[in-house]
Amino acid sequence: MSDGTIALDAAHRRPRTAFVLAGGATRGASQVGMLQALTEHGIRPDLIVGTSIGALNGACFAESPTLETIDRLAHLWEAPPRSQIFSFSARSVAQNVRQRKGYVLDNSGLRDWIRLNTSVERLEDLTIALHAVATDAATRRPVVLSSGDTVQALLASSAIPGVFPAITIDDITLIDGGSSADVPIGPAVGLGATTLYVLPTLPGHDTAPGLVWQFLDRVFGQPAAAAFAADHPGVEIHRLPAPRPHDNPVSFRDSRRLIDESLALTRTYLADHVDGRAPTAAGRVGCTRPAQDLRTPASAGRAALRRWVR
């Protein structure tokens, strides 16, 4: 990891395509359908940037970016070991609370699941470069993990505060990337991406379920996106459509529906906005409004990139 300022003049870069996978717990199943549609269309990323569940999905895809891998990922989502990943036990939860560990669930089950489903030990050895986004617990700034132990990086990106234990890498205490960059567009551009395909886990504000989600998307999404787009006119951003999620973020019961609906929605989006155009052509024609990092102020794309760890 290194610390420094990133040059962001996209107009003078060579074209680079990034898949940007948002966080969202079990709602990340929808990203499987999006990955399938993108792969069917022959759209292959130069890099993948993922937060939390987006980093987990991204790691599986980055290891072997094929339709066969996506099919395997879909099966994992349909029959996940919930009792292993979210190992709720009244006894263990009470013990963790009593000992004031700062979290209620052990991450050993999630660690074993990651080891079982990823065979590449270091991030830099993946077929496609994967950048897992975590958060510095001290500064609340995004931390982009681009090399090192794959399991540790994914655990750090998924370390939900208060739920799973924080992870220490290079003397930095890391927690879930959703605390600083739930939709990591800023880090992706900082890594050199000029065309971004954003794989969200929530629909846009016009179709988001419930007033709370609509409020969050309007207040934190749209103004931040407008500020980011204005500052980076050479960046093309495609925000793929997401289906309506279920209400329980730790339930896998709707995984198949989310996969199927996102596949259909993304196929339609790509046919309407991408087919017939060069996939890396810079511009704004055919793009939906960009989705900036949620849970950050409108200036997050600029401020976070002045100092972030890679």
Side-chain angles (χ1 to χ4, degrees), residues 14-34:
R14 67 179 180 85
R16 298 190 75 201
T17 298
F19 287 178
V20 179
L21 283 73
T26 60
R27 297 170 180 130
S30 61
Q31 294 173 344
V32 179
M34 298 174 193

PDB file of all heavy atoms in Angstrom, residues 14-34:
ATOM      1  N   ARG A  14      -4.968   6.707 -21.651  1.00  0.00           N
ATOM      2  CA  ARG A  14      -5.346   5.667 -22.594  1.00  0.00           C
ATOM      3  C   ARG A  14      -6.639   5.031 -22.073  1.00  0.00           C
ATOM      4  O   ARG A  14      -6.865   4.958 -20.861  1.00  0.00           O
ATOM      5  CB  ARG A  14      -4.245   4.619 -22.729  1.00  0.00           C
ATOM      6  CG  ARG A  14      -3.995   3.773 -21.494  1.00  0.00           C
ATOM      7  CD  ARG A  14      -2.904   2.752 -21.765  1.00  0.00           C
ATOM      8  NE  ARG A  14      -2.630   1.917 -20.606  1.00  0.00           N
ATOM      9  CZ  ARG A  14      -3.309   0.820 -20.299  1.00  0.00           C
ATOM     10  NH1 ARG A  14      -4.340   0.449 -21.046  1.00  0.00           N
ATOM     11  NH2 ARG A  14      -2.993   0.101 -19.233  1.00  0.00           N
ATOM     12  N   PRO A  15      -7.513   4.585 -22.964  1.00  0.00           N
ATOM     13  CA  PRO A  15      -8.794   4.030 -22.514  1.00  0.00           C
ATOM     14  C   PRO A  15      -8.606   2.806 -21.623  1.00  0.00           C
ATOM     15  O   PRO A  15      -7.862   1.887 -21.963  1.00  0.00           O
ATOM     16  CB  PRO A  15      -9.492   3.650 -23.827  1.00  0.00           C
ATOM     17  CG  PRO A  15      -8.843   4.513 -24.861  1.00  0.00           C
ATOM     18  CD  PRO A  15      -7.412   4.651 -24.428  1.00  0.00           C
ATOM     19  N   ARG A  16      -9.275   2.803 -20.502  1.00  0.00           N
ATOM     20  CA  ARG A  16      -9.259   1.658 -19.591  1.00  0.00           C
ATOM     21  C   ARG A  16     -10.669   1.468 -19.045  1.00  0.00           C
ATOM     22  O   ARG A  16     -11.307   2.424 -18.597  1.00  0.00           O
ATOM     23  CB  ARG A  16      -8.279   1.850 -18.433  1.00  0.00           C
ATOM     24  CG  ARG A  16      -6.824   1.990 -18.839  1.00  0.00           C
ATOM     25  CD  ARG A  16      -5.922   1.934 -17.611  1.00  0.00           C
ATOM     26  NE  ARG A  16      -5.814   0.584 -17.108  1.00  0.00           N
ATOM     27  CZ  ARG A  16      -5.443   0.279 -15.855  1.00  0.00           C
ATOM     28  NH1 ARG A  16      -5.230   1.249 -14.984  1.00  0.00           N
ATOM     29  NH2 ARG A  16      -5.327  -0.974 -15.478  1.00  0.00           N
ATOM     30  N   THR A  17     -11.141   0.235 -19.092  1.00  0.00           N
ATOM     31  CA  THR A  17     -12.488  -0.082 -18.636  1.00  0.00           C
ATOM     32  C   THR A  17     -12.452  -0.705 -17.251  1.00  0.00           C
ATOM     33  O   THR A  17     -11.650  -1.608 -16.996  1.00  0.00           O
ATOM     34  CB  THR A  17     -13.175  -1.044 -19.622  1.00  0.00           C
ATOM     35  OG1 THR A  17     -13.291  -0.409 -20.898  1.00  0.00           O
ATOM     36  CG2 THR A  17     -14.562  -1.434 -19.127  1.00  0.00           C
ATOM     37  N   ALA A  18     -13.325  -0.238 -16.372  1.00  0.00           N
ATOM     38  CA  ALA A  18     -13.408  -0.787 -15.020  1.00  0.00           C
ATOM     39  C   ALA A  18     -14.822  -1.255 -14.726  1.00  0.00           C
ATOM     40  O   ALA A  18     -15.794  -0.620 -15.141  1.00  0.00           O
ATOM     41  CB  ALA A  18     -12.989   0.258 -13.987  1.00  0.00           C
ATOM     42  N   PHE A  19     -14.919  -2.387 -14.028  1.00  0.00           N
ATOM     43  CA  PHE A  19     -16.176  -2.795 -13.413  1.00  0.00           C
ATOM     44  C   PHE A  19     -16.111  -2.323 -11.967  1.00  0.00           C
ATOM     45  O   PHE A  19     -15.167  -2.642 -11.241  1.00  0.00           O
ATOM     46  CB  PHE A  19     -16.355  -4.308 -13.450  1.00  0.00           C
ATOM     47  CG  PHE A  19     -16.683  -4.873 -14.806  1.00  0.00           C
ATOM     48  CD1 PHE A  19     -16.827  -6.252 -14.972  1.00  0.00           C
ATOM     49  CD2 PHE A  19     -16.829  -4.058 -15.919  1.00  0.00           C
ATOM     50  CE1 PHE A  19     -17.131  -6.780 -16.217  1.00  0.00           C
ATOM     51  CE2 PHE A  19     -17.131  -4.580 -17.171  1.00  0.00           C
ATOM     52  CZ  PHE A  19     -17.281  -5.960 -17.320  1.00  0.00           C
ATOM     53  N   VAL A  20     -17.115  -1.559 -11.539  1.00  0.00           N
ATOM     54  CA  VAL A  20     -17.159  -1.013 -10.185  1.00  0.00           C
ATOM     55  C   VAL A  20     -18.312  -1.677  -9.449  1.00  0.00           C
ATOM     56  O   VAL A  20     -19.481  -1.443  -9.764  1.00  0.00           O
ATOM     57  CB  VAL A  20     -17.337   0.516 -10.215  1.00  0.00           C
ATOM     58  CG1 VAL A  20     -17.407   1.075  -8.799  1.00  0.00           C
ATOM     59  CG2 VAL A  20     -16.194   1.172 -10.986  1.00  0.00           C
ATOM     60  N   LEU A  21     -17.994  -2.525  -8.478  1.00  0.00           N
ATOM     61  CA  LEU A  21     -19.003  -3.320  -7.787  1.00  0.00           C
ATOM     62  C   LEU A  21     -19.264  -2.746  -6.400  1.00  0.00           C
ATOM     63  O   LEU A  21     -18.363  -2.686  -5.553  1.00  0.00           O
ATOM     64  CB  LEU A  21     -18.563  -4.780  -7.677  1.00  0.00           C
ATOM     65  CG  LEU A  21     -18.700  -5.636  -8.950  1.00  0.00           C
ATOM     66  CD1 LEU A  21     -17.652  -5.260  -9.979  1.00  0.00           C
ATOM     67  CD2 LEU A  21     -18.597  -7.118  -8.619  1.00  0.00           C
ATOM     68  N   ALA A  22     -20.504  -2.337  -6.172  1.00  0.00           N
ATOM     69  CA  ALA A  22     -20.890  -1.705  -4.911  1.00  0.00           C
ATOM     70  C   ALA A  22     -21.041  -2.735  -3.803  1.00  0.00           C
ATOM     71  O   ALA A  22     -21.174  -3.938  -4.040  1.00  0.00           O
ATOM     72  CB  ALA A  22     -22.202  -0.949  -5.103  1.00  0.00           C
ATOM     73  N   GLY A  23     -21.055  -2.227  -2.569  1.00  0.00           N
ATOM     74  CA  GLY A  23     -21.395  -3.057  -1.427  1.00  0.00           C
ATOM     75  C   GLY A  23     -22.901  -3.195  -1.306  1.00  0.00           C
ATOM     76  O   GLY A  23     -23.664  -2.493  -1.973  1.00  0.00           O
ATOM     77  N   GLY A  24     -23.343  -4.088  -0.424  1.00  0.00           N
ATOM     78  CA  GLY A  24     -24.783  -4.251  -0.272  1.00  0.00           C
ATOM     79  C   GLY A  24     -25.209  -5.574   0.334  1.00  0.00           C
ATOM     80  O   GLY A  24     -26.352  -5.997   0.147  1.00  0.00           O
ATOM     81  N   ALA A  25     -24.291  -6.245   1.043  1.00  0.00           N
ATOM     82  CA  ALA A  25     -24.607  -7.516   1.702  1.00  0.00           C
ATOM     83  C   ALA A  25     -25.217  -8.513   0.704  1.00  0.00           C
ATOM     84  O   ALA A  25     -24.749  -8.617  -0.426  1.00  0.00           O
ATOM     85  CB  ALA A  25     -25.511  -7.273   2.910  1.00  0.00           C
ATOM     86  N   THR A  26     -26.285  -9.196   1.092  1.00  0.00           N
ATOM     87  CA  THR A  26     -26.824 -10.253   0.235  1.00  0.00           C
ATOM     88  C   THR A  26     -27.502  -9.713  -1.018  1.00  0.00           C
ATOM     89  O   THR A  26     -27.843 -10.481  -1.920  1.00  0.00           O
ATOM     90  CB  THR A  26     -27.831 -11.125   1.010  1.00  0.00           C
ATOM     91  OG1 THR A  26     -28.905 -10.318   1.474  1.00  0.00           O
ATOM     92  CG2 THR A  26     -27.152 -11.792   2.193  1.00  0.00           C
ATOM     93  N   ARG A  27     -27.689  -8.389  -1.094  1.00  0.00           N
ATOM     94  CA  ARG A  27     -28.226  -7.806  -2.321  1.00  0.00           C
ATOM     95  C   ARG A  27     -27.210  -7.871  -3.453  1.00  0.00           C
ATOM     96  O   ARG A  27     -27.523  -7.570  -4.601  1.00  0.00           O
ATOM     97  CB  ARG A  27     -28.651  -6.361  -2.050  1.00  0.00           C
ATOM     98  CG  ARG A  27     -29.785  -6.274  -1.027  1.00  0.00           C
ATOM     99  CD  ARG A  27     -30.058  -4.860  -0.575  1.00  0.00           C
ATOM    100  NE  ARG A  27     -31.136  -4.844   0.403  1.00  0.00           N
ATOM    101  CZ  ARG A  27     -31.083  -4.224   1.577  1.00  0.00           C
ATOM    102  NH1 ARG A  27     -29.992  -3.565   1.919  1.00  0.00           N
ATOM    103  NH2 ARG A  27     -32.095  -4.244   2.403  1.00  0.00           N
ATOM    104  N   GLY A  28     -25.992  -8.264  -3.122  1.00  0.00           N
ATOM    105  CA  GLY A  28     -24.957  -8.423  -4.135  1.00  0.00           C
ATOM    106  C   GLY A  28     -25.245  -9.528  -5.134  1.00  0.00           C
ATOM    107  O   GLY A  28     -24.549  -9.640  -6.150  1.00  0.00           O
ATOM    108  N   ALA A  29     -26.266 -10.333  -4.883  1.00  0.00           N
ATOM    109  CA  ALA A  29     -26.636 -11.367  -5.852  1.00  0.00           C
ATOM    110  C   ALA A  29     -26.955 -10.762  -7.208  1.00  0.00           C
ATOM    111  O   ALA A  29     -26.695 -11.374  -8.258  1.00  0.00           O
ATOM    112  CB  ALA A  29     -27.836 -12.167  -5.337  1.00  0.00           C
ATOM    113  N   SER A  30     -27.502  -9.553  -7.222  1.00  0.00           N
ATOM    114  CA  SER A  30     -27.864  -8.915  -8.489  1.00  0.00           C
ATOM    115  C   SER A  30     -26.643  -8.681  -9.374  1.00  0.00           C
ATOM    116  O   SER A  30     -26.758  -8.636 -10.602  1.00  0.00           O
ATOM    117  CB  SER A  30     -28.583  -7.590  -8.224  1.00  0.00           C
ATOM    118  OG  SER A  30     -27.754  -6.699  -7.512  1.00  0.00           O
ATOM    119  N   GLN A  31     -25.463  -8.557  -8.778  1.00  0.00           N
ATOM    120  CA  GLN A  31     -24.253  -8.323  -9.565  1.00  0.00           C
ATOM    121  C   GLN A  31     -23.886  -9.529 -10.431  1.00  0.00           C
ATOM    122  O   GLN A  31     -23.212  -9.377 -11.454  1.00  0.00           O
ATOM    123  CB  GLN A  31     -23.090  -7.962  -8.639  1.00  0.00           C
ATOM    124  CG  GLN A  31     -23.289  -6.627  -7.936  1.00  0.00           C
ATOM    125  CD  GLN A  31     -22.240  -6.334  -6.893  1.00  0.00           C
ATOM    126  OE1 GLN A  31     -21.509  -7.225  -6.448  1.00  0.00           O
ATOM    127  NE2 GLN A  31     -22.148  -5.073  -6.473  1.00  0.00           N
ATOM    128  N   VAL A  32     -24.345 -10.709 -10.048  1.00  0.00           N
ATOM    129  CA  VAL A  32     -24.067 -11.901 -10.842  1.00  0.00           C
ATOM    130  C   VAL A  32     -24.737 -11.796 -12.211  1.00  0.00           C
ATOM    131  O   VAL A  32     -24.132 -12.079 -13.249  1.00  0.00           O
ATOM    132  CB  VAL A  32     -24.533 -13.173 -10.105  1.00  0.00           C
ATOM    133  CG1 VAL A  32     -24.264 -14.415 -10.957  1.00  0.00           C
ATOM    134  CG2 VAL A  32     -23.820 -13.292  -8.759  1.00  0.00           C
ATOM    135  N   GLY A  33     -26.008 -11.377 -12.225  1.00  0.00           N
ATOM    136  CA  GLY A  33     -26.701 -11.193 -13.498  1.00  0.00           C
ATOM    137  C   GLY A  33     -26.064 -10.107 -14.341  1.00  0.00           C
ATOM    138  O   GLY A  33     -25.976 -10.218 -15.570  1.00  0.00           O
ATOM    139  N   MET A  34     -25.627  -9.036 -13.702  1.00  0.00           N
ATOM    140  CA  MET A  34     -24.960  -7.952 -14.436  1.00  0.00           C
ATOM    141  C   MET A  34     -23.654  -8.435 -15.063  1.00  0.00           C
ATOM    142  O   MET A  34     -23.359  -8.116 -16.221  1.00  0.00           O
ATOM    143  CB  MET A  34     -24.692  -6.785 -13.481  1.00  0.00           C
ATOM    144  CG  MET A  34     -25.945  -6.156 -12.894  1.00  0.00           C
ATOM    145  SD  MET A  34     -25.533  -4.892 -11.651  1.00  0.00           S
ATOM    146  CE  MET A  34     -27.132  -4.631 -10.887  1.00  0.00           C
TER     147      MET A  34
END
